[in-house]
Amino acid sequence: MIKVFKLPDLGEGLTESEIVAWLVAPGDEVTLNQHIADVETAKAVVELPSPFAGVVSVLHQPAGVVVHVGEPIVSFDIGGGAEPTSTAPTDTTAGAAAPAEQREANLVGYGPAVERGGHPQRRARAGGAESVPAPATSTTAAPVPAVTPAAVSTDQPAEAPVPVPLAERPRSTPPVRALARDLGIDLTTVTGTGKDGLITRDDVRAHITESVPTPAVHGEPVSPTAAPATSRGDDVRETRSPIKSLRKLTAAAMVQSAFTAPHVTEFLTIDVTPTVELLDSLRTDRQFEGAGIGILTVVAKALCLAVGRTPSVNTRWDEPAGEIVQFHHVNLGIAAATPRGLLVPNIVDADRLDLRGLAAALAELTTAARSGTTTPAALSGGTITITNIGVFGIDAGTPILNPGEAAILAMGAIRSRPWEYRGEVALRKVLTLSLSFDHRLVDGEQGSRFLADIGTILADPARVLTMV
């Protein structure tokens, strides 16, 4: 029996995903919940597990394409070669067994299967795959052409490395793909020597040596060291890339924010020498040893305290409802630059955490963002955001609001500068804060007081006692 697995709803109402890489090929035997593909949504890269145990019959979509929720992506033959514990019914009746089959294919976090039209339909969560009965005259491979909407090869050669469809990306691991990308090598031109045709690092390096003589277009020999530069196409004056995934979402969000919320940005430059001295003392305190408390941690805590004195910065403008939503908790977003682009995961209930708790949450958030394991749930629900542009050596900027939030604070680099201190000029640690806020929700007086409160805490941490 052939089972068709359709792209599930991966959460947060996302309607499409890009297939980054297939980790299986037609003819491969897979187990239940085996990692079969990497799928990139607009918010995160997700490992897609198999909902069935059986043999991969057809890959309906090649790697690198954007697929809508509900479209078929892979078919499985669960008849022969499947594990004895396969949960799929063996009879072909479509009566009471049909709902049960759909529920079996459901995975945690997956949304409904789409049965009509190829477009997602929002409803109660059910299975992410659909059972397709085999035609009466079929055995195993015969129904494959009938269920696939894509032009994929259905030949079945005897050798394992051969049955890779023309449109499918060669099998390789993420480190190998990264190496090929850095060297400008097209993996479709590389022959894999690993198991089942898997391309290894040595295959990529060997391909560089083998391809050295080919670029002699200008009648000049090419040295081995010049191969990577030649394969990148140094003579190409421009390169076009499709707008998709995270970049597409970020662009839409920034345009929506910039042309919907009237932005106001204010700046405040302060002497943060006392805060720097406080951090130095905490690093030598055994009670905080290994806590990882840094300047971002202190700024985050100062912001949470200041929100309590100016709650209007922690609100949302609900246009459809004609209401202003006042949040009584702080889900603190932290803008993070990652290889995929800009992400803003948030720390839930950051206002309830102490310095140690904030430091731990920031470390966990940063690690997940850099490794690409940030979940879609962690990227939604923020109420106010901090962006640390100081790590790039920038002093100030005019940050754009995260859609749905009323304020965003940018912290610049800490620099040693001449500063007036107790009637004299001294070399002090100076920091510039930039606050952008939605003028529909935050008046100038409120935004100024909020920024001043943060500055007061950083300039003199002991002043916190007068604010709480």
Side-chain angles (χ1 to χ4, degrees):
M1 177 180 290
I2 299 297
K3 291 269 190 173
V4 178
F5 182 37
K6 299 179 179 180
L7 180 68
D9 177 0
L10 298 175
E12 302 302 321
L14 301 175
T15 60
E16 63 181 27
S17 301
E18 177 187 351
I19 299 178
V20 177
W22 283 108
L23 304 182
V24 295
D28 288 354
E29 186 171 350
V30 298
T31 59
L32 183 65
N33 290 331
Q34 178 179 329
H35 180 191
I36 61 174
D38 290 329
V39 179
E40 182 177 19
T41 71
K43 295 186 176 182
V45 175
V46 180
E47 294 183 353
L48 196 63
S50 171
F52 303 108
V55 177
V56 177
S57 177
V58 174
L59 300 180
H60 297 286
Q61 305 291 346
V65 302
V66 176
V67 183
H68 290 280
V69 171
E71 291 183 350
I73 56 174
V74 58
S75 292
F76 299 91
D77 184 353
I78 63 170
E83 293 182 354
T85 57
S86 174
T87 57
T90 56
D91 62 306
T92 56
T93 58
E101 289 178 4
Q102 290 201 345
R103 296 185 65 86
E104 288 167 9
N106 185 37
L107 302 178
V108 176
Y110 281 10
V114 177
E115 301 172 353
R116 297 183 301 273
H119 295 287
Q121 298 183 19
R122 311 301 294 176
R123 62 178 181 179
R125 290 182 178 269
E130 183 183 66
S131 175
V132 178
T137 59
S138 65
T139 54
T140 55
V144 173
V147 298
T148 173
V152 285
S153 173
T154 55
D155 296 335
Q156 295 185 2
E159 297 182 4
V162 179
V164 180
L166 183 61
E168 183 189 351
R169 181 177 298 178
R171 301 187 65 190
S172 59
T173 61
V176 172
R177 291 194 292 273
L179 175 63
R181 185 166 54 249
D182 292 340
L183 296 176
I185 299 299
D186 183 0
L187 286 180
T188 60
T189 64
V190 180
T191 301
T193 60
K195 183 180 179 181
D196 296 330
L198 183 71
I199 298 175
T200 65
R201 291 175 178 268
D202 291 337
D203 295 333
V204 175
R205 297 189 182 101
H207 180 78
I208 297 176
T209 305
E210 295 171 358
S211 60
V212 167
T214 58
V217 180
H218 304 289
E220 298 179 1
V222 181
S223 63
T225 57
T230 303
S231 58
R232 285 193 183 98
D234 290 347
D235 293 335
V236 178
R237 298 180 66 87
E238 67 177 31
T239 300
R240 291 178 175 265
S241 302
I243 304 172
K244 55 186 179 180
S245 302
L246 181 59
R247 177 55 55 189
K248 183 177 181 180
L249 178 71
T250 302
M254 294 299 97
V255 170
Q256 174 192 351
S257 178
F259 291 96
T260 301
H263 284 57
V264 175
T265 304
E266 296 183 342
F267 306 90
L268 178 64
T269 302
I270 50 176
D271 175 9
V272 294
T273 305
T275 293
V276 174
E277 294 173 346
L278 171 64
L279 291 174
D280 291 339
S281 66
L282 291 179
R283 292 188 185 99
T284 60
D285 191 330
R286 288 187 177 181
Q287 182 180 353
F288 294 94
E289 184 178 358
I293 299 175
I295 185 63
L296 179 58
T297 310
V298 178
V299 172
K301 188 60 180 179
L303 179 144
C304 291
L305 292 172
V307 164
R309 290 166 56 88
T310 311
S312 62
V313 300
N314 198 40
T315 57
R316 179 169 64 87
W317 184 276
D318 190 343
E319 184 70 33
E323 299 173 340
I324 294 176
V325 181
Q326 176 67 64
F327 297 108
H328 300 291
H329 62 280
V330 177
N331 285 356
L332 181 59
I334 304 295
T338 73
R340 295 184 59 230
L342 176 64
L343 296 178
V344 188
N346 67 84
I347 301 173
V348 178
D349 294 333
D351 54 319
R352 299 183 179 182
L353 300 177
D354 57 13
L355 281 178
R356 182 186 291 275
L358 276 173
L362 284 169
E364 181 180 355
L365 177 150
T366 303
T367 301
R370 290 176 178 172
S371 62
T373 58
T374 303
T375 63
L379 296 168
S380 61
T383 63
I384 191 169
T385 296
I386 292 178
T387 176
N388 185 6
I389 59 177
V391 296
F392 306 109
I394 304 301
D395 295 325
T398 55
I400 298 178
L401 294 168
N402 205 24
E405 299 179 9
I408 179 172
L409 179 71
M411 50 181 292
I414 297 179
R415 302 189 184 278
S416 298
R417 291 182 178 175
W419 197 261
E420 188 275 328
Y421 178 67
R422 295 180 179 177
E424 297 180 354
V425 177
L427 198 62
R428 306 287 287 178
K429 299 295 185 181
V430 177
L431 168 69
T432 298
L433 300 174
S434 310
L435 176 71
S436 291
F437 54 87
D438 185 342
H439 217 336
R440 297 175 301 177
L441 295 164
V442 183
D443 295 334
E445 179 268 337
Q446 295 170 323
S448 300
R449 184 174 66 241
F450 174 69
L451 184 58
D453 281 346
I454 297 175
T456 298
I457 295 173
L458 297 178
D460 186 3
R463 292 285 295 274
V464 171
L465 296 176
T466 67
M467 298 182 177
V468 295

